[in-house]
C-alpha cells in the first residue's frame, strides 16, 4: 500500500492574509508546498491529504485541484475548533486552534495506511521524502514511528532566532527525547540556544532537529484521541494551550509503547521565518532548478 502525505495547512490563510496571496517562490509561481507535493509523488506517496479550515475550502481547492488532478489522489479534512471535543464544553475565550496533534487527529477518518506529516510552509528536500516513503512502506508499525532528523546547521535563519525541536537519539538511532528550544541562532561561529534567563548553550552543527516531518502508523489516531481528552481536562481552559505532536510522541516513548526512528537527512531545509528570508528561499529554489533537481515548471 502506498503511504499518504498529510499536510498541515489549516493556518495558511491566517499567515498570508488570504490564500490568493500565498507567496510564490518558484520560477513558474510555485509555492513551497508545491515542491513538497512534487517530491512526495516521485517518492511514491499515493495520496495527499490537506488539513484546512472549512472557511477557505473553496479558495484552497481552486489553487491546488487544477495542479494535482490526474497526478495523485487528494482529500481534505477540516481542523475545526469543536472537532473531537467529545462533550467537553468549548471555552468561550478560545480563539487559538488546538495545535498540531489535534490537526492530525482530525484526519482520523481519512487515513487508514501509514502516513507522513509535514508543515505546508517548510521546504524539506527530495532526500527526506524518499527516506520517509521507504520507512512508511517497509518499517512503520503500531509500535514503530519515525521523525526526519535534520542537521541543525541546515535549518538556521540568517535573519534571527528560530525554534527547533532538538532530538536526542539512543545508540540504536531511536528518539530518546525531544526538547523544544525556542531561541536558536548563530552567535559568531557557534550555534547556540538561550534559556528564559538569557543563558546561552552551544549546540553542535550536526545536532539532529525535528522540522515536524513525522512518520506514523494509523494507530497514532487512537493514541492521540485519548491524550487529547487528557489534555482538555488539564489545559483546555487555558486560552493559549496547544496539543502538539511532540506531546503524543513523548508519551509514546516514555510509556514504552514503541520506538521512534530518527531518520537522518543531509537535506537543506528552508522556509520563511522572517520576511527577509524570502529572497534566499527564491534563490535556493532557482539554484535547484538550474541544477536539474526540479523542472522550471512543476506542473506543466
Amino acid at each position: 500500500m502506498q503511504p499518504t502525505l498529510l499536510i498541515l495547512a489549516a493556518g495558511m490563510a491566517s499567515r498570508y492574509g488570504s490564500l490568493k496571496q500565498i507567496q510564490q517562490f518558484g520560477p513558474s509561481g510555485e509555492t513551497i508546498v508545491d515542491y513538497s507535493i512534487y517530491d512526495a509523488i516521485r517518492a511514491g506517496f499515493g495520496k495527499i491529504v490537506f488539513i484546512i479550515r472549512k472557511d477557505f475550502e473553496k479558495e484552497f481547492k481552486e489553487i491546488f485541484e487544477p495542479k494535482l488532478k490526474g497526478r495523485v489522489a487528494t482529500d481534505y479534512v477540516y481542523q475545526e475548533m469543536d472537532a473531537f471535543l467529545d462533550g467537553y464544553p468549548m471555552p468561550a475565550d478560545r480563539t487559538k486552534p488546538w495545535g498540531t496533534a489535534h490537526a492530525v487527529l482530525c484526519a482520523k477518518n481519512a487515513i487508514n495506511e501509514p502516513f507522513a506529516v509535514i508543515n505546508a510552509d517548510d521546504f524539506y528536500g527530495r532526500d527526506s521524502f524518499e527516506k520517509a516513503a521507504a520507512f512508511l512502506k517497509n518499517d512503520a508499525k503500531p509500535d514503530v514511528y519515525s521523525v526526519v532528523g535534520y542537521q541543525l546547521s541546515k535549518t538556521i535563519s540568517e535573519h534571527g532566532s528560530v525554534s527547533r525541536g532538538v532530538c536526542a537519539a539512543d545508540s540504536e538511532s531511536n528518539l530518546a527525547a525531544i526538547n523544544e528550544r525556542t531561541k536558536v541562532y548563530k552567535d559568531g561561529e557557534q550555534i547556540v540556544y538561550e534559556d528564559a534567563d538569557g543563558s546561552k548553550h552551544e549546540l553542535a552543527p550536526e545536532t539532529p532537529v525535528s522540522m515536524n516531518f513525522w512518520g506514523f502508523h494509523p494507530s497514532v489516531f487512537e493514541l492521540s484521541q485519548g491524550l487529547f481528552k487528557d489534555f482538555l481536562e488539564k489545559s483546555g481552559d487555558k486560552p493559549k494551550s496547544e496539543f502538539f505532536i511532540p506531546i503524543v510522541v513523548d508519551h509514546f516513548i516514555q510509556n514504552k509503547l514503541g520506538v521512534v526512528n530518527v531518520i537522518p537527512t543531509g537535506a537543506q531545509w528552508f522556509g520563511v521565518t522572517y520576511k527577509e528570508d524570502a529572497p534566499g528561499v527564491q534563490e535556493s529554489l532557482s539554484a535547484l532548478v538550474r541544477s536539474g533537481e526540479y523542472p522550471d515548471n512543476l506542473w506543466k
Side-chain angles (χ1 to χ4, degrees):
M1 184 177 292
Q2 291 177 298
T4 287
L5 179 65
L6 182 61
I7 300 177
L8 304 182
M12 290 182 82
S14 60
R15 269 196 291 273
Y16 290 100
S18 81
L19 281 170
K20 292 179 181 176
Q21 296 170 6
I22 288 177
Q23 195 153 355
Q24 299 177 346
F25 294 102
S28 297
E30 293 88 353
T31 64
I32 289 177
V33 73
D34 281 315
Y35 287 91
S36 292
I37 295 169
Y38 184 86
D39 282 336
I41 292 171
R42 63 179 175 176
F45 284 81
K47 183 170 69 173
I48 307 295
V49 176
F50 295 99
I51 298 181
I52 59 174
R53 296 201 314 274
K54 193 77 173 178
D55 59 4
F56 62 70
E57 175 185 18
K58 182 174 181 293
E59 283 184 280
F60 194 94
K61 288 184 176 180
E62 285 175 351
I63 293 171
F64 287 99
E65 280 300 302
K67 300 174 181 178
L68 302 181
K69 188 175 182 180
R71 298 177 185 273
V72 67
T74 57
D75 199 357
Y76 301 84
V77 296
Y78 310 102
Q79 186 181 15
E80 302 296 345
M81 295 286 285
D82 59 354
F84 291 93
L85 293 188
D86 293 335
Y88 184 87
M90 173 66 73
D93 55 352
R94 183 81 193 191
T95 58
K96 192 177 184 67
W98 290 111
T100 53
H102 177 257
V104 172
L105 179 56
C106 289
K108 179 182 179 182
N109 296 324
I111 299 175
N112 300 301
E113 58 283 325
F115 66 102
V117 179
I118 63 166
N119 295 330
D121 51 2
D122 288 310
F123 178 88
Y124 292 100
R126 179 177 184 173
D127 180 68
S128 299
F129 285 95
E130 291 180 344
K131 289 178 176 176
F135 167 81
L136 294 169
K137 291 174 183 177
N138 301 315
D139 301 316
K141 300 173 184 174
D143 59 351
V144 184
Y145 300 164
S146 71
V147 62
V148 177
Y150 284 77
Q151 296 172 17
L152 175 61
S153 62
K154 295 188 176 183
T155 73
I156 298 297
S157 170
E158 296 294 329
H159 303 288
S161 65
V162 295
S163 295
R164 294 291 178 257
V166 177
C167 299
D170 63 21
S171 59
E172 296 181 342
S173 297
N174 293 321
L175 190 66
I178 182 166
N179 297 298
E180 189 69 21
R181 304 303 185 191
T182 57
K183 194 171 183 181
V184 183
Y185 58 93
K186 288 187 73 172
D187 185 18
E189 296 300 312
Q190 297 180 334
I191 300 175
V192 301
Y193 73 88
E194 279 189 26
D195 281 331
D197 61 5
S199 60
K200 297 180 182 179
H201 307 270
E202 184 179 359
L203 290 167
E206 65 275 11
T207 299
V209 295
S210 164
M211 300 306 300
N212 219 32
F213 194 151
W214 301 93
F216 292 122
H217 183 275
S219 60
V220 75
F221 293 122
E222 184 176 354
L223 173 63
S224 298
Q225 190 166 359
L227 291 176
F228 185 52
K229 183 178 180 180
D230 295 341
F231 166 84
L232 290 172
E233 292 173 354
K234 295 174 183 176
S235 304
D237 60 344
K238 300 173 184 175
K240 295 186 178 180
S241 61
E242 290 188 71
F243 182 50
F244 292 119
I245 292 172
I247 293 174
V248 176
V249 171
D250 187 64
H251 178 91
F252 181 76
I253 295 170
Q254 302 307 325
N255 287 274
K256 303 187 186 306
L257 301 179
V259 296
V260 178
N261 295 170
V262 179
I263 301 174
T265 180
Q268 176 70 48
W269 167 91
F270 45 83
V272 184
T273 306
Y274 300 94
K275 63 181 181 180
E276 293 86 358
D277 292 326
V281 170
Q282 193 167 19
E283 174 51 36
S284 295
L285 288 171
S286 294
L288 288 168
V289 170
R290 289 194 299 270
S291 73
E293 181 68 16
Y294 299 100
D296 59 6
N297 187 328
L298 290 183
W299 309 118
K300 186 175 180 180

